[in-house]
Amino acid sequence: MKIAVMGGAGYIGSHTIIELYKAGHSVVVVDNLVNSSDESLRRVAELVGSPIPFVKADVRDAAAMDKIFSENKFDACIHFAGLKAVGESVAKPLEYYENNMNATFVLLHAMRNHGCKNLIFSSSATVYGNPAQIPITEACPKGQCTNPYGQTKSMLEEVLRDVQKADPEWNIVLLRYFNPIGAHPSGRIGEDPNGIPNNLMPYITQTAVGLRKELGVFGNDYDTPDGTGVRDYIHVCDLASGHVSALKAIERKCGLAIYNLGTGHGYSVLDVVKAFEKVNNVKIPYSIKPRRAGDIATCYCNPQKAFDELGWKAQYGIEEMCRDAWNWQKNNPKGYKG
Ligand code: NAD
Ligand code: WQD
């Protein structure tokens, strides 16, 4: 299939392009590089042994989208493009709503105008809010998101549901990612956050490499086995292959389909620190800090539906996630900028 990849220069997009190539698909990547660098695409090209067609454009730019969809006949689109920093979204709600909502509206118009009605959308476990049930299945009700970033995902899911309902020619897959970490085993591409990392794994790797003094563990008084937050970490390469599997749903004309992409295992913050230390033989100094606003105690999924319907299952365990995250960081201490 020929796939339009919106936001494909970013962390998850760059890994997904590799899996798409491995499965024999071709891509055109669109990204405005607001949170990424085209160096990721140069390295992806090196890994797949072929140049990656790339258009630097903002998905909100209707004329640019019209041109891209006129010049290419796409079988489907994968839409990663969006701003994703939870804390920043609280400080800059307008920018987040404006970017994430409008990019999707403009994209949907361009797709409809050019007869491409197959879409895979990057959603998030955040739409479950504080989940009513653990492990979380797709049948669990959505919850209250505590930040504008999460609201954009939840609202866009509803927009996409309505678009598909109004026109059954659309096939739309909502992929609810749990906590992607790790990097391509080559160590050539990985997560390259701007400034101080918000998420656990890049904070750990930057501590290991000496860029940060110590990890702050946000709370040890949750109702979890060791008191620290429990999450469903998933290797980014497994997440990437989930998109290739989701194309099967599109091919089967799924209408609207929703899948959790996680491993189904919950690890605490201290479990991750210990696994990282053990597999990489490095020490991660840490201290306990107050809880972070908006965090929940436990979040992990039941990924059975993706297995039953798409044949997809995560292959990597927590140790491989820690190994590959460190391999990326130590080979690229300053990310793509180095
Ligand atoms: P990322 O920031 O690395 O990638 C997103 C890409 O979109 C970036 O390259 C950015 O430059 C681009 N972009 C943003 N706005 C754009 C616009 N208006 N026009 C063109 N390009 C634009 O993030 P990621 O971690 O790869 O996440 C990909 C998607 O998955 C996002 O939608 C994110 O919200 C979602 N998601 C991420 C996580 C996570 O923990 N990383 C979890 C759940 C969902
Ligand atoms: C994981 C655990 C923290 C940093 C976020 C978004 C979610 C999704 C994935 C996009 C928690 C603890 C973290 C640190 C810590 N993104 N932690 N010290 O919060 O589960 O999910 O990313 O959709 O929407 O909310 O991930 O990696 O930030 O935190 O103790 O320096 O690590 O409290 O228990 P989170 P995270």
Side-chain angles (χ1 to χ4, degrees):
M1 289 167 102
K2 183 168 181 175
I3 318 283
V5 186
M6 303 294 149
Y11 173 47
I12 302 169
S14 55
H15 289 81
T16 302
I17 297 167
I18 293 182
E19 297 301 321
L20 289 167
Y21 267 81
K22 270 175 32 191
H25 302 294
S26 65
V27 304
V28 173
V29 175
V30 180
D31 201 302
N32 64 0
L33 306 180
V34 65
N35 195 41
S36 53
S37 140
D38 54 4
E39 176 61 16
S40 65
L41 296 177
R42 274 193 287 279
R43 295 189 184 189
V44 169
E46 194 185 284
L47 290 167
V48 301
S50 152
I52 306 297
F54 171 56
V55 182
K56 185 176 176 202
D58 194 305
V59 182
R60 291 168 296 174
D61 180 343
M65 289 303 109
D66 186 59
K67 185 163 184 284
I68 290 161
F69 279 85
S70 314
E71 289 173 354
N72 298 277
K73 174 122 190 56
F74 293 115
D75 299 297
C77 173
I78 306 182
H79 179 27
F80 296 104
L83 299 174
K84 64 160 183 178
V86 169
E88 186 182 60
S89 81
V90 175
K92 298 181 176 172
L94 197 50
E95 283 76 3
Y96 269 68
Y97 283 114
E98 204 274 321
N99 187 72
N100 294 3
M101 304 303 294
N102 279 352
T104 309
F105 297 152
V106 170
L107 175 64
L108 289 170
H109 276 295
M111 290 179 71
R112 187 173 66 183
N113 291 345
H114 293 278
C116 173
K117 296 184 180 176
N118 295 322
L119 177 69
I120 297 176
F121 176 67
S122 298
S123 188
S124 168
T126 196
V127 302
Y128 293 111
N130 196 350
Q133 171 200 317
I134 295 284
I136 305 169
T137 69
E138 294 82 353
C140 288
K142 294 204 312 183
Q144 185 57 45
C145 294
T146 54
N147 59 79
Y149 164 73
Q151 297 273 34
T152 67
K153 291 295 174 195
S154 189
M155 289 160 61
L156 286 168
E157 282 201 356
E158 297 316 307
V159 169
L160 293 169
R161 191 187 293 277
D162 287 343
V163 165
Q164 198 284 327
K165 205 194 288 171
D167 178 356
E169 278 184 16
W170 280 92
N171 296 296
I172 300 182
V173 183
L174 309 177
L175 295 180
R176 294 177 175 164
Y177 309 157
F178 280 68
N179 288 58
I181 59 171
H184 191 265
S186 65
R188 293 296 290 153
I189 59 168
E191 188 170 12
D192 184 19
N194 278 325
I196 300 172
N198 301 302
N199 298 114
L200 179 63
M201 185 52 84
Y203 208 103
I204 290 178
T205 58
Q206 290 198 6
T207 305
V209 88
L211 288 172
R212 314 276 155 212
K213 226 169 86 233
E214 63 167 19
L215 170 73
V217 174
F218 298 146
N220 66 349
D221 57 353
Y222 286 104
D223 183 14
T224 60
D226 65 17
T228 66
V230 168
R231 297 291 183 273
D232 188 336
Y233 297 96
I234 172 169
H235 195 294
V236 66
C237 293
D238 276 331
L239 190 71
S241 78
H243 295 75
V244 177
S245 300
L247 289 171
K248 289 187 202 155
I250 300 258
E251 275 173 331
R252 284 201 300 261
K253 307 219 172 301
C254 59
L256 186 100
I258 304 178
Y259 297 101
N260 286 336
L261 294 185
T263 64
H265 300 289
Y267 290 99
S268 74
V269 176
L270 295 181
D271 288 337
V272 177
V273 170
K274 280 184 212 137
F276 190 93
E277 290 184 332
K278 179 174 156 232
V279 70
N280 296 317
N281 199 24
V282 285
K283 202 88 203 119
I284 305 299
Y286 70 84
S287 66
I288 306 298
K289 298 278 190 266
R291 290 182 178 195
R292 182 173 66 180
D295 274 357
I296 55 175
T298 304
C299 178
Y300 60 92
C301 78
N302 176 341
Q304 193 62 36
K305 187 179 177 209
F307 181 69
D308 291 344
E309 296 185 11
L310 307 175
W312 175 88
K313 191 176 190 294
Q315 303 296 322
Y316 292 96
I318 192 70
E319 297 201 342
E320 288 141 324
M321 299 180 214
C322 292
R323 178 199 66 197
D324 291 338
W326 178 228
N327 186 38
W328 153 252
Q329 182 77 67
K330 74 169 188 266
N331 286 309
N332 306 271
K334 294 184 179 150
Y336 292 116
K337 292 172 274 297

